[in-house]
Amino acid sequence: MSTKSNTMWGGRFASGPDAIMEAINASIGYDRRLAAEDIAGSRAHAAMLAAQGIITDSDAQAIREGLLTILSEIEEGSFVFSTALEDIHMNVEARLTELIGAPAGRLHTARSRNDQVAVDFRLWVRGAADAAQDAIRGLQRAILAQAEAGAAMVMPGFTHLQVAQPVTFGHHLMAWVEMLARDAGRFADARARMNESPLGAAALAGTSFPIDREATAQALGFARPMANSLDAVSDRDFALEFLSAATICAVHLSRMAEELVIWSTAQFGFVKLSDRWSTGSSIMPQKRNPDAAELIRAKIGRITGAQVALTTVMKGLPLAYSKDMQEDKEQVFEAADQLALALAAMTGMVADLTPQPDAMRASAARGFSTATDLADWLVRALNLPFREAHHVTGHLVALAEAKGCDLPELSLADMQSVHGAITGEVFSVLGVENSVASRMSQGGTAPARVREQIARWKALLA
Ligand code: ARG
């Protein structure tokens, strides 16, 4: 039990908090990550107070310099954080008082910890949204390089994880690039919406001091001040949007990771993961495990957990600030850290993997993957209605299955036993290379089309 009341707000308290009260109340264990943002917000606030004649220029200067000293103390690790001082805001202000004395007490004029934490956290989440976009672009570049090399490598395309139609490796990878582009877009959208300044909302109602909210908004890189002081201190929807974007991105990463797990099995053998991105087994010497891919696949658990946790914290809270909202930070920090790690690991793994075109091609040729090409040919060459062509092709597949061969290995006589009008020209559409080359529709898997996608993305990511 601390016996001294809090120096920041303890005026009306005779004694300090119970030790457990201190433990449940303190956020300094994690909100110290907001130190740089807290100091930036305070420096902007102090400059504005002086510009408005609310505090003197010399006090503002002492405050602004003292805050820079504190920032370097924190960066070099010499700053002593105190749980009794609850959070980053009061830790910084208490140290400022030690450093510059009385003027420190003027920093909190026309401000509350409620708008202070709102501005700090917005700045932090804004930075995390920018970092996520950068990391996504890095991953897209790594995928693009593999797609370029694999633009014409034939592999099976799947539906229901059953061989469906041949596609190219480059085409498959460019699907990942598109998924990631939307993820980056979600972070960009969230960033644009969150980029308004809550500073100057004070505790909840605004302030009687003649502050200039445009000036602090501009100094901190916000597009404008938030329009309503109650809203400014009481919402964390910007954090929820960040977590939603992170969750969807993690969903995408988990799907990519799962494909790498499948592709790197002995049964598929489509890609070889490098030694740097696999591990061995302590008992089975032959093993080469895709641990990084598995862990990326798992990260969605923590990230969506954070999203659910903060959504639940915010549900039903009356306006304006409630202490519940202190529980916002750990969720966002956790999700941002895990997403950054997953993106970095995926980038490294993709850059390092070696595609195995022979295995991909052999697999694409199995499983009657050109049956649709055969049906399309029957429509084009024999003018059959597609439904009938589908039916005829079904018979041909059954015949090949009975003979234990693939479609191109049926003889013309076999084909004609199912439909008399079939000619030898049919064999020109049955090879997997012919199949992919024919899919020239926009966004299709023909190597020429895939190279167009790659060229477009190379320009966008340059
Ligand atoms: N540590 C607090 C938080 O993160 C700062 C705001 C405290 N405001 C208050 N009125 N107690 O939410």
Side-chain angles (χ1 to χ4, degrees):
M1 162 125 53
S2 351
T3 46
K4 264 175 50 195
S5 70
N6 189 293
T7 51
M8 297 289 144
W9 48 250
R12 68 182 289 263
F13 288 80
S15 77
D18 186 273
I20 291 176
M21 174 59 199
E22 190 170 288
I24 196 174
N25 198 38
S27 53
I28 190 61
Y30 46 88
D31 70 12
R32 62 180 69 184
R33 285 183 72 169
L34 300 176
E37 290 78 9
D38 193 70
I39 286 167
S42 290
R43 281 173 48 83
H45 183 65
M48 180 277 292
L49 291 177
Q52 297 299 103
I54 300 167
I55 65 173
T56 65
D57 285 337
S58 67
D59 281 354
Q61 206 189 328
I63 289 169
R64 285 168 52 81
E65 280 168 13
L67 287 168
L68 282 188
T69 305
I70 294 171
L71 184 60
S72 32
E73 288 176 356
I74 292 173
E75 280 169 357
E76 74 196 24
S78 62
F79 189 94
V80 184
F81 291 99
S82 149
T83 308
L85 287 166
E86 233 179 282
D87 57 24
I88 186 64
H89 323 298
M90 296 198 289
N91 270 267
V92 169
E93 198 182 317
R95 178 67 183 140
L96 189 63
T97 307
E98 284 173 14
L99 287 174
I100 68 167
R106 300 196 183 275
L107 170 60
H108 215 50
T109 314
R111 188 177 72 169
S112 150
R113 271 189 297 155
N114 296 348
D115 59 339
Q116 191 178 356
V117 73
V119 79
D120 293 2
F121 198 37
R122 265 179 198 256
L123 289 172
W124 197 95
V125 177
R126 188 178 76 182
D130 289 343
Q133 288 183 70
D134 284 348
I136 290 170
R137 275 191 284 274
L139 173 53
Q140 285 180 304
R141 283 191 195 97
I143 298 169
L144 199 58
Q146 291 284 2
E148 197 165 19
M153 288 178 193
V154 174
M155 70 177 278
F158 299 91
T159 60
H160 315 266
L161 199 56
Q162 306 281 325
V163 171
Q165 293 172 353
V167 297
T168 71
F169 188 54
H171 193 224
H172 194 118
L173 293 182
M174 291 311 291
W176 291 4
V177 168
E178 295 290 335
M179 290 149 71
L180 289 164
R182 290 190 298 278
D183 291 336
R186 271 181 281 274
F187 283 112
D189 292 348
R191 185 205 202 276
R193 225 177 340 270
M194 80 175 74
N195 199 29
E196 293 186 340
S197 175
L199 195 57
L204 73 165
T207 174
S208 57
F209 291 97
I211 58 170
D212 181 352
R213 294 190 60 208
E214 297 285 349
T216 47
Q218 205 186 343
L220 295 168
F222 288 112
R224 64 192 78 83
M226 292 181 76
N228 182 298
S229 65
L230 293 168
D231 177 45
V233 291
S234 66
D235 212 345
R236 295 293 182 266
D237 59 349
F238 64 92
L240 293 176
E241 278 198 66
F242 173 84
L243 292 173
S244 305
T247 297
I248 298 173
C249 183
V251 169
H252 284 159
L253 290 174
S254 78
R255 299 181 69 184
M256 297 169 198
E258 167 69 356
E259 295 195 314
L260 290 178
V261 169
I262 294 172
W263 292 349
S264 63
T265 57
Q267 289 76 9
F268 274 72
F270 290 1
V271 299
K272 241 183 114 142
L273 301 178
S274 71
D275 288 349
R276 288 167 13 118
W277 293 99
S278 358
T279 59
S281 155
S282 53
I283 179 166
M284 296 166 285
Q286 84 285 8
K287 290 271 287 206
R288 194 185 168 79
N289 296 327
D291 294 44
E294 294 166 86
L295 289 163
I296 293 167
R297 189 172 59 185
K299 291 298 181 197
I300 176 68
R302 296 204 213 182
I303 293 170
T304 197
Q307 153 76 28
V308 171
L310 184 56
T311 303
T312 311
V313 165
M314 294 307 296
K315 181 201 168 290
L317 286 187
L319 304 192
Y321 180 85
S322 297
K323 195 65 174 255
D324 308 52
M325 285 156 59
Q326 177 165 288
E327 298 273 314
D328 55 2
K329 291 171 242 345
E330 285 168 293
Q331 303 303 337
V332 171
F333 293 158
E334 165 79 350
D337 290 348
Q338 297 304 324
L339 184 70
L341 187 55
L343 284 166
M346 187 56 106
T347 304
M349 211 168 24
V350 167
D352 258 19
L353 64 77
T354 315
Q356 305 292 307
D358 295 342
M360 287 192 232
R361 195 198 173 285
S363 173
R366 281 195 299 270
F368 311 109
S369 66
T370 55
T372 314
D373 300 279
L374 175 50
D376 287 350
W377 182 85
L378 293 169
V379 170
R380 260 197 322 273
L382 306 185
N383 198 28
L384 298 191
F386 182 77
R387 282 294 157 217
E388 189 185 340
H390 185 284
H391 194 72
V392 169
T393 307
H395 279 295
L396 288 165
V397 167
L399 183 62
E401 210 163 24
K403 296 199 157 205
C405 71
D406 203 354
L407 283 174
E409 288 145 28
L410 288 175
S411 68
L412 184 56
D414 290 336
M415 298 259 189
Q416 288 172 339
S417 73
V418 175
H419 196 291
I422 295 176
T423 70
E425 191 200 287
V426 71
F427 293 101
S428 72
V429 301
L430 291 184
V432 288
E433 280 79 14
N434 295 331
S435 171
V436 295
S438 72
R439 294 213 152 67
M440 277 293 286
S441 56
Q442 191 180 7
T445 200
R449 285 304 205 187
V450 174
R451 290 200 176 92
E452 282 172 16
Q453 297 180 47
I454 291 169
R456 179 174 159 268
W457 272 107
K458 269 182 110 166
L460 287 171
L461 291 171

